[in-house]
Amino acid sequence: MAGGGVNRKISAASARAHTRRAKQNTSFKLPSGIFTKILLVLSVGILAWAYQAIQPPPPKTCGSPDGPPVTASRIKLRDGRYLAYKEHGVPRDAAKYKIVEAHGFDSCRHDAIAPSAEIIEKLGVYIVTFDRPGYGESDPNPKRTVKSMALDIEELADQLKLGSKFYVIGFSMGGQWIWSCLKYIPHRLAGATLVAPVVNYWWSGFPANLSEQAYQKQLPQDQWALRLSHYAPWLTYWWNTQKWFPGSSVIAHSGDNFNSEDKKLLPKIASRRKHSKALVRQQGEFESLHRDIIIGFGTWEFSPLDLDNPFPNNEGSAHLWHGDEDGLVPVTLQRYIAQQLPWIHYHELPGAGHLFAVADGMADTMVKALLVGEK
Protein backbone atom coordinates (compact mmCIF):
# COMPACT_ATOMS: atom_id res chain seq x y z
CA MET A 1 0.00 0.00 0.00
CA ALA A 2 1.70 3.22 -1.12
CA GLY A 3 2.94 5.71 1.52
CA GLY A 4 1.87 3.49 4.45
CA GLY A 5 -1.34 5.64 4.98
CA VAL A 6 -4.54 4.40 6.58
CA ASN A 7 -7.51 4.20 4.24
CA ARG A 8 -10.79 5.19 6.16
CA LYS A 9 -14.25 4.91 4.72
CA ILE A 10 -17.06 7.19 6.07
CA SER A 11 -20.64 6.15 5.50
CA ALA A 12 -23.24 8.57 4.12
CA ALA A 13 -25.36 8.28 7.30
CA SER A 14 -22.37 9.17 9.47
CA ALA A 15 -21.64 12.20 7.32
CA ARG A 16 -25.21 13.51 7.66
CA ALA A 17 -25.17 13.10 11.41
CA HIS A 18 -21.91 14.98 11.64
CA THR A 19 -23.36 17.84 9.57
CA ARG A 20 -26.44 18.10 11.83
CA ARG A 21 -24.26 18.31 14.92
CA ALA A 22 -22.21 21.02 13.34
CA LYS A 23 -25.33 23.07 12.48
CA GLN A 24 -26.73 22.64 15.98
CA ASN A 25 -23.50 23.81 17.51
CA THR A 26 -23.41 26.95 15.36
CA SER A 27 -27.17 27.93 15.46
CA PHE A 28 -28.20 31.34 16.97
CA LYS A 29 -29.69 31.16 20.45
CA LEU A 30 -31.88 34.01 21.88
CA PRO A 31 -31.00 35.14 25.36
CA SER A 32 -33.13 33.64 28.11
CA GLY A 33 -36.40 35.58 28.78
CA ILE A 34 -36.24 37.67 25.59
CA PHE A 35 -39.75 36.67 24.51
CA THR A 36 -41.15 37.87 27.84
CA LYS A 37 -39.38 41.20 27.41
CA ILE A 38 -40.66 41.61 23.85
CA LEU A 39 -44.20 40.85 25.00
CA LEU A 40 -43.87 43.40 27.82
CA VAL A 41 -42.64 46.12 25.46
CA LEU A 42 -45.48 45.41 23.02
CA SER A 43 -48.03 45.51 25.84
CA VAL A 44 -46.71 48.85 27.09
CA GLY A 45 -46.83 50.21 23.54
CA ILE A 46 -50.42 49.08 23.04
CA LEU A 47 -51.48 50.53 26.38
CA ALA A 48 -49.80 53.85 25.57
CA TRP A 49 -51.57 53.95 22.21
CA ALA A 50 -54.91 53.11 23.84
CA TYR A 51 -54.42 55.80 26.48
CA GLN A 52 -53.70 58.41 23.83
CA ALA A 53 -56.70 57.27 21.79
CA ILE A 54 -59.19 57.83 24.62
CA GLN A 55 -57.78 61.22 25.66
CA PRO A 56 -59.79 64.13 24.22
CA PRO A 57 -57.87 67.14 22.93
CA PRO A 58 -57.92 70.20 25.21
CA PRO A 59 -60.72 72.67 24.50
CA LYS A 60 -60.03 75.85 22.56
CA THR A 61 -61.48 78.21 25.13
CA CYS A 62 -62.88 81.48 23.84
CA GLY A 63 -60.51 84.37 24.42
CA SER A 64 -57.43 82.14 24.79
CA PRO A 65 -54.50 82.56 22.35
CA ASP A 66 -55.60 79.62 20.18
CA GLY A 67 -59.32 79.93 20.84
CA PRO A 68 -62.20 81.73 19.13
CA PRO A 69 -62.77 85.41 19.88
CA VAL A 70 -65.26 86.60 22.47
CA THR A 71 -68.23 88.35 20.86
CA ALA A 72 -71.06 87.67 23.35
CA SER A 73 -72.09 89.33 26.57
CA ARG A 74 -70.67 87.25 29.43
CA ILE A 75 -70.68 87.09 33.20
CA LYS A 76 -67.86 85.76 35.36
CA LEU A 77 -68.99 83.02 37.72
CA ARG A 78 -67.69 82.45 41.25
CA ASP A 79 -65.35 79.68 40.10
CA GLY A 80 -63.77 81.92 37.44
CA ARG A 81 -65.61 80.52 34.41
CA TYR A 82 -67.34 82.80 31.95
CA LEU A 83 -70.96 82.23 30.91
CA ALA A 84 -72.15 83.79 27.65
CA TYR A 85 -75.76 84.95 27.36
CA LYS A 86 -78.22 86.67 25.04
CA GLU A 87 -81.24 88.78 25.98
CA HIS A 88 -84.60 88.71 24.18
CA GLY A 89 -87.94 90.43 24.59
CA VAL A 90 -88.77 93.61 26.46
CA PRO A 91 -86.06 95.41 28.46
CA ARG A 92 -85.12 93.59 31.64
CA ASP A 93 -86.12 96.44 33.96
CA ALA A 94 -89.53 96.82 32.32
CA ALA A 95 -90.43 93.11 32.22
CA LYS A 96 -93.31 91.60 34.15
CA TYR A 97 -92.12 88.06 33.55
CA LYS A 98 -88.45 87.04 33.46
CA ILE A 99 -87.39 83.69 32.01
CA VAL A 100 -84.04 81.88 31.97
CA GLU A 101 -83.88 79.35 29.16
CA ALA A 102 -81.54 76.35 28.74
CA HIS A 103 -80.93 75.18 25.17
CA GLY A 104 -80.79 71.59 23.98
CA PHE A 105 -78.03 69.26 22.85
CA ASP A 106 -75.62 70.56 20.19
CA SER A 107 -77.12 74.06 20.35
CA CYS A 108 -76.33 77.48 21.77
CA ARG A 109 -77.80 80.71 23.15
CA HIS A 110 -79.18 81.66 19.73
CA ASP A 111 -81.53 78.63 19.73
CA ALA A 112 -84.30 80.09 21.85
CA ILE A 113 -87.87 78.93 22.31
CA ALA A 114 -89.08 82.47 21.82
CA PRO A 115 -92.73 83.48 21.70
CA SER A 116 -94.03 85.89 19.10
CA ALA A 117 -93.42 89.62 19.36
CA GLU A 118 -97.13 90.04 20.05
CA ILE A 119 -97.03 87.80 23.13
CA ILE A 120 -93.77 89.33 24.33
CA GLU A 121 -95.21 92.83 24.21
CA LYS A 122 -98.65 91.90 25.51
CA LEU A 123 -97.38 90.02 28.55
CA GLY A 124 -94.14 91.94 29.09
CA VAL A 125 -91.77 88.99 28.69
CA TYR A 126 -87.99 89.10 29.08
CA ILE A 127 -85.97 85.98 28.18
CA VAL A 128 -82.27 85.33 28.69
CA THR A 129 -80.70 82.37 26.95
CA PHE A 130 -77.16 81.25 27.71
CA ASP A 131 -74.51 78.97 26.27
CA ARG A 132 -74.32 75.95 28.51
CA PRO A 133 -70.71 75.15 29.56
CA GLY A 134 -68.45 74.25 26.64
CA TYR A 135 -70.96 75.42 24.03
CA GLY A 136 -70.74 78.66 22.07
CA GLU A 137 -68.74 81.15 24.11
CA SER A 138 -69.22 79.78 27.63
CA ASP A 139 -66.13 78.31 29.24
CA PRO A 140 -66.01 74.53 29.61
CA ASN A 141 -66.66 73.09 33.04
CA PRO A 142 -64.76 69.81 33.46
CA LYS A 143 -66.09 69.69 37.04
CA ARG A 144 -69.71 69.93 35.93
CA THR A 145 -72.23 68.07 38.08
CA VAL A 146 -76.01 67.84 38.08
CA LYS A 147 -76.09 70.34 40.94
CA SER A 148 -73.79 72.83 39.20
CA MET A 149 -76.41 73.17 36.45
CA ALA A 150 -78.86 74.83 38.85
CA LEU A 151 -76.16 76.92 40.48
CA ASP A 152 -75.07 78.33 37.10
CA ILE A 153 -78.64 79.39 36.36
CA GLU A 154 -79.06 80.93 39.81
CA GLU A 155 -75.84 82.90 39.50
CA LEU A 156 -76.76 84.14 36.03
CA ALA A 157 -80.13 85.33 37.35
CA ASP A 158 -78.49 87.05 40.32
CA GLN A 159 -75.82 88.85 38.30
CA LEU A 160 -78.49 90.07 35.87
CA LYS A 161 -80.66 91.11 38.84
CA LEU A 162 -83.74 89.17 37.76
CA GLY A 163 -85.20 89.25 41.26
CA SER A 164 -85.88 86.74 44.00
CA LYS A 165 -87.94 84.53 41.68
CA PHE A 166 -87.82 83.82 37.96
CA TYR A 167 -89.13 81.29 35.44
CA VAL A 168 -87.07 78.56 33.77
CA ILE A 169 -87.56 76.70 30.49
CA GLY A 170 -85.42 73.86 29.16
CA PHE A 171 -85.56 72.00 25.86
CA SER A 172 -84.37 68.42 25.33
CA MET A 173 -81.02 68.05 27.13
CA GLY A 174 -81.65 71.49 28.59
CA GLY A 175 -84.64 69.95 30.35
CA GLN A 176 -82.24 68.18 32.68
CA TRP A 177 -81.10 71.61 33.86
CA ILE A 178 -84.69 72.31 34.87
CA TRP A 179 -84.90 69.11 36.91
CA SER A 180 -81.74 70.32 38.66
CA CYS A 181 -83.39 73.68 39.40
CA LEU A 182 -86.49 71.96 40.79
CA LYS A 183 -84.22 69.98 43.12
CA TYR A 184 -81.64 72.52 44.24
CA ILE A 185 -83.18 76.00 43.87
CA PRO A 186 -86.98 75.51 44.04
CA HIS A 187 -87.27 78.58 46.29
CA ARG A 188 -86.00 80.75 43.40
CA LEU A 189 -88.55 79.53 40.86
CA ALA A 190 -91.78 81.26 39.86
CA GLY A 191 -92.52 78.43 37.40
CA ALA A 192 -90.82 75.82 35.24
CA THR A 193 -91.35 74.23 31.83
CA LEU A 194 -89.66 71.13 30.47
CA VAL A 195 -89.95 70.67 26.71
CA ALA A 196 -89.26 67.14 25.44
CA PRO A 197 -86.76 66.68 28.30
CA VAL A 198 -84.16 63.97 27.90
CA VAL A 199 -84.64 61.09 30.32
CA ASN A 200 -81.83 59.16 31.99
CA TYR A 201 -82.67 55.44 31.74
CA TRP A 202 -80.79 54.81 34.99
CA TRP A 203 -82.81 57.16 37.20
CA SER A 204 -84.08 55.26 40.20
CA GLY A 205 -87.84 54.82 40.43
CA PHE A 206 -88.51 53.48 36.95
CA PRO A 207 -89.82 49.91 36.82
CA ALA A 208 -87.01 47.82 35.34
CA ASN A 209 -89.13 46.47 32.51
CA LEU A 210 -90.35 49.96 31.55
CA SER A 211 -86.90 51.54 31.30
CA GLU A 212 -85.52 48.46 29.51
CA GLN A 213 -88.31 48.48 26.93
CA ALA A 214 -87.79 52.21 26.32
CA TYR A 215 -84.03 51.73 26.06
CA GLN A 216 -84.43 48.96 23.49
CA LYS A 217 -86.38 51.33 21.25
CA GLN A 218 -83.24 53.37 20.68
CA LEU A 219 -81.04 52.67 17.66
CA PRO A 220 -78.39 50.01 18.47
CA GLN A 221 -75.58 52.53 17.98
CA ASP A 222 -77.24 54.90 20.46
CA GLN A 223 -77.73 52.10 22.96
CA TRP A 224 -73.97 51.51 22.86
CA ALA A 225 -73.16 55.21 23.12
CA LEU A 226 -75.42 55.67 26.16
CA ARG A 227 -74.30 52.45 27.83
CA LEU A 228 -70.66 53.47 27.55
CA SER A 229 -71.35 56.98 28.85
CA HIS A 230 -72.99 55.49 31.93
CA TYR A 231 -70.67 52.59 32.74
CA ALA A 232 -67.39 53.71 31.15
CA PRO A 233 -67.53 57.50 30.69
CA TRP A 234 -63.79 57.68 29.97
CA LEU A 235 -64.51 55.90 26.67
CA THR A 236 -67.17 58.39 25.52
CA TYR A 237 -64.81 60.55 23.47
CA TRP A 238 -63.11 57.57 21.82
CA TRP A 239 -66.35 55.78 21.01
CA ASN A 240 -67.89 58.80 19.32
CA THR A 241 -64.80 59.66 17.30
CA GLN A 242 -63.48 56.22 16.24
CA LYS A 243 -64.27 55.03 12.71
CA TRP A 244 -64.73 51.27 13.19
CA PHE A 245 -68.25 51.35 14.64
CA PRO A 246 -71.04 53.92 14.39
CA GLY A 247 -71.17 56.33 17.32
CA SER A 248 -74.11 58.42 18.50
CA SER A 249 -76.62 59.07 15.72
CA VAL A 250 -77.59 62.32 17.43
CA ILE A 251 -74.04 63.67 17.25
CA ALA A 252 -73.89 62.59 13.62
CA HIS A 253 -77.21 64.36 12.85
CA SER A 254 -78.48 61.22 11.13
CA GLY A 255 -82.15 62.08 11.64
CA ASP A 256 -83.11 58.41 11.91
CA ASN A 257 -84.95 59.10 15.17
CA PHE A 258 -87.17 61.83 13.72
CA ASN A 259 -90.77 61.24 12.72
CA SER A 260 -92.50 62.83 9.73
CA GLU A 261 -93.48 65.96 11.68
CA ASP A 262 -89.91 66.46 12.85
CA LYS A 263 -88.61 66.17 9.30
CA LYS A 264 -91.03 68.89 8.18
CA LEU A 265 -89.50 71.20 10.78
CA LEU A 266 -85.86 70.52 9.89
CA PRO A 267 -85.66 73.18 7.12
CA LYS A 268 -87.00 75.77 9.53
CA ILE A 269 -84.41 74.83 12.14
CA ALA A 270 -81.63 74.88 9.54
CA SER A 271 -82.67 78.36 8.44
CA ARG A 272 -82.67 79.66 12.00
CA ARG A 273 -79.25 78.16 12.72
CA LYS A 274 -77.37 79.04 9.53
CA HIS A 275 -75.58 81.94 11.21
CA SER A 276 -74.93 80.26 14.57
CA LYS A 277 -74.20 76.64 13.64
CA ALA A 278 -70.44 77.18 13.53
CA LEU A 279 -70.46 78.65 17.05
CA VAL A 280 -71.91 75.58 18.76
CA ARG A 281 -68.86 73.27 18.69
CA GLN A 282 -66.15 75.89 18.19
CA GLN A 283 -64.44 75.12 21.52
CA GLY A 284 -64.35 71.38 20.87
CA GLU A 285 -66.78 68.49 21.08
CA PHE A 286 -65.68 66.86 24.30
CA GLU A 287 -66.57 69.60 26.80
CA SER A 288 -69.83 70.30 24.98
CA LEU A 289 -71.40 67.23 23.36
CA HIS A 290 -69.57 64.47 25.18
CA ARG A 291 -69.72 66.13 28.60
CA ASP A 292 -73.47 66.54 28.07
CA ILE A 293 -73.84 62.80 27.49
CA ILE A 294 -71.58 61.83 30.38
CA ILE A 295 -73.48 63.99 32.89
CA GLY A 296 -76.92 63.46 31.40
CA PHE A 297 -76.70 59.67 31.40
CA GLY A 298 -74.34 59.23 34.32
CA THR A 299 -75.22 58.48 37.93
CA TRP A 300 -77.31 61.31 39.33
CA GLU A 301 -77.31 62.45 42.95
CA PHE A 302 -81.11 62.31 42.91
CA SER A 303 -83.98 61.03 40.80
CA PRO A 304 -86.55 63.48 39.41
CA LEU A 305 -89.19 60.87 40.23
CA ASP A 306 -88.59 61.58 43.93
CA LEU A 307 -88.99 65.35 43.79
CA ASP A 308 -91.42 67.14 46.10
CA ASN A 309 -93.86 69.74 44.83
CA PRO A 310 -91.90 73.01 44.60
CA PHE A 311 -95.16 74.98 44.61
CA PRO A 312 -97.18 73.53 47.52
CA ASN A 313 -99.36 76.64 47.80
CA ASN A 314 -99.92 76.96 44.04
CA GLU A 315 -97.63 79.98 43.94
CA GLY A 316 -96.22 78.67 40.67
CA SER A 317 -96.58 75.80 38.23
CA ALA A 318 -94.45 73.19 36.50
CA HIS A 319 -95.19 71.91 32.98
CA LEU A 320 -93.89 69.01 30.92
CA TRP A 321 -94.58 68.96 27.17
CA HIS A 322 -93.90 65.88 25.06
CA GLY A 323 -94.77 64.41 21.68
CA ASP A 324 -96.22 60.91 21.63
CA GLU A 325 -94.08 60.04 18.58
CA ASP A 326 -90.79 61.30 19.99
CA GLY A 327 -88.12 58.93 18.65
CA LEU A 328 -85.36 60.27 20.88
CA VAL A 329 -87.10 60.26 24.25
CA PRO A 330 -89.74 57.52 24.65
CA VAL A 331 -93.10 58.91 25.68
CA THR A 332 -93.72 55.95 28.00
CA LEU A 333 -91.09 57.28 30.41
CA GLN A 334 -92.57 60.79 30.45
CA ARG A 335 -96.00 59.35 31.16
CA TYR A 336 -94.61 57.46 34.12
CA ILE A 337 -92.85 60.56 35.45
CA ALA A 338 -96.09 62.52 35.17
CA GLN A 339 -97.93 59.78 37.08
CA GLN A 340 -95.37 59.87 39.88
CA LEU A 341 -95.37 63.68 40.06
CA PRO A 342 -99.04 64.74 40.12
CA TRP A 343 -98.03 68.37 40.59
CA ILE A 344 -96.60 68.39 37.05
CA HIS A 345 -98.96 69.70 34.37
CA TYR A 346 -98.39 67.10 31.66
CA HIS A 347 -99.14 68.03 28.04
CA GLU A 348 -98.87 65.18 25.53
CA LEU A 349 -99.07 66.17 21.88
CA PRO A 350 -100.51 63.56 19.48
CA GLY A 351 -98.41 63.01 16.36
CA ALA A 352 -95.60 65.28 17.55
CA GLY A 353 -91.96 64.19 17.53
CA HIS A 354 -89.00 65.72 19.35
CA LEU A 355 -88.82 69.09 17.59
CA PHE A 356 -92.38 70.34 18.06
CA ALA A 357 -91.18 73.39 20.03
CA VAL A 358 -90.29 75.21 16.79
CA ALA A 359 -93.66 74.54 15.14
CA ASP A 360 -95.70 77.67 14.45
CA GLY A 361 -97.50 78.87 17.56
CA MET A 362 -96.06 76.30 19.97
CA ALA A 363 -93.76 78.72 21.78
CA ASP A 364 -96.71 81.06 22.37
CA THR A 365 -98.81 78.20 23.70
CA MET A 366 -96.16 76.95 26.10
CA VAL A 367 -95.16 80.37 27.39
CA LYS A 368 -98.77 81.40 28.02
CA ALA A 369 -99.43 78.15 29.89
CA LEU A 370 -96.42 78.82 32.10
CA LEU A 371 -96.98 82.51 32.76
CA VAL A 372 -100.75 82.99 32.84
CA GLY A 373 -102.18 79.49 32.84
CA GLU A 374 -103.64 79.64 29.33
CA LYS A 375 -103.57 76.58 27.06
Side-chain angles (χ1 to χ4, degrees):
M1 189 174 289
V6 178
N7 185 18
R8 300 177 62 190
K9 293 183 179 180
I10 300 175
S11 69
S14 177
R16 287 195 297 270
H18 178 77
T19 302
R20 283 197 298 270
R21 285 195 297 272
K23 287 183 178 179
Q24 289 173 354
N25 292 335
T26 58
S27 63
F28 174 74
K29 290 185 178 180
L30 291 173
S32 177
I34 190 65
F35 287 112
T36 301
K37 293 178 181 178
I38 291 174
L39 183 60
L40 179 61
V41 170
L42 287 175
S43 298
V44 171
I46 291 171
L47 288 174
W49 171 84
Y51 178 78
Q52 290 296 326
I54 66 175
Q55 296 303 306
K60 295 182 178 180
T61 306
C62 284
S64 65
D66 63 340
V70 175
T71 63
S73 299
R74 306 202 302 178
I75 62 165
K76 188 174 184 179
L77 301 171
R78 284 186 293 268
D79 61 6
R81 289 181 294 117
Y82 284 92
L83 202 69
Y85 66 91
K86 181 179 179 180
E87 297 176 291
H88 316 254
V90 302
R92 190 190 319 160
D93 295 337
K96 182 178 180 181
Y97 300 103
K98 299 172 183 178
I99 302 172
V100 180
E101 189 176 311
H103 63 77
F105 186 74
D106 203 8
S107 304
C108 69
R109 66 187 182 277
H110 296 291
D111 300 308
I113 298 176
S116 63
E118 178 185 357
I119 293 298
I120 285 175
E121 293 297 328
K122 179 180 178 181
L123 298 181
V125 179
Y126 163 88
I127 299 174
V128 58
T129 56
F130 64 99
D131 290 332
R132 297 194 287 106
Y135 286 106
E137 296 184 35
S138 285
D139 287 351
N141 182 10
K143 297 180 180 180
R144 193 200 311 182
T145 64
V146 176
K147 185 175 183 178
S148 73
M149 300 176 185
L151 300 183
D152 280 1
I153 285 180
E154 182 177 39
E155 192 166 356
L156 174 64
D158 286 344
Q159 290 204 34
L160 295 181
K161 296 181 171 56
L162 300 190
S164 60
K165 288 183 179 288
F166 49 88
Y167 295 85
V168 289
I169 296 176
F171 168 65
S172 190
M173 192 66 85
Q176 295 192 338
W177 285 61
I178 309 308
W179 287 126
S180 177
C181 289
L182 289 166
K183 169 66 176 179
Y184 294 112
I185 58 167
H187 57 289
R188 301 298 308 275
L189 304 182
T193 291
L194 302 101
V195 183
V198 169
V199 172
N200 184 323
Y201 297 95
W202 292 272
W203 283 340
S204 63
F206 283 130
N209 62 326
L210 182 68
S211 57
E212 179 63 22
Q213 289 170 4
Y215 182 77
Q216 292 299 327
K217 289 182 179 179
Q218 299 299 296
L219 295 174
Q221 66 196 81
D222 292 331
Q223 292 181 34
W224 275 103
L226 298 183
R227 188 182 290 114
L228 280 172
S229 69
H230 183 79
Y231 293 109
W234 58 89
L235 291 177
T236 299
Y237 168 77
W238 171 78
W239 181 259
N240 290 294
T241 55
Q242 51 79 33
K243 306 301 181 184
W244 299 323
F245 306 100
S248 166
S249 71
V250 183
I251 292 178
H253 292 167
S254 73
D256 291 340
N257 288 307
F258 293 147
N259 76 340
S260 59
E261 292 302 310
D262 283 336
K263 291 176 181 178
K264 292 177 184 177
L265 295 170
L266 288 175
K268 183 177 182 180
I269 294 173
S271 176
R272 289 173 53 172
R273 299 189 67 187
K274 62 183 179 181
H275 298 301
S276 61
K277 184 178 179 180
L279 299 176
V280 174
R281 305 185 186 186
Q282 65 178 351
Q283 298 186 86
E285 295 186 4
F286 181 73
E287 287 296 344
S288 52
L289 309 182
H290 302 154
R291 183 71 66 186
D292 249 5
I293 297 173
I294 291 170
I295 300 299
F297 294 97
T299 300
W300 280 37
E301 305 98 65
F302 73 96
S303 172
L305 285 81
D306 298 327
L307 288 175
D308 294 326
N309 184 357
F311 311 113
N313 300 314
N314 294 321
E315 64 273 32
S317 62
H319 300 258
L320 196 162
W321 298 78
H322 207 75
D324 69 352
E325 293 185 13
D326 191 325
L328 286 171
V329 186
V331 69
T332 52
L333 298 182
Q334 304 291 24
R335 290 171 181 165
Y336 189 81
I337 291 172
Q339 291 171 6
Q340 300 304 302
L341 305 177
W343 46 269
I344 286 272
H345 297 267
Y346 179 57
H347 312 267
E348 187 171 302
L349 306 176
H354 191 69
L355 306 177
F356 63 86
V358 301
D360 292 344
M362 273 307 305
D364 285 1
T365 299
M366 293 187 292
V367 168
K368 286 191 295 183
L370 174 65
L371 303 181
V372 296
E374 292 183 16
K375 294 184 179 180

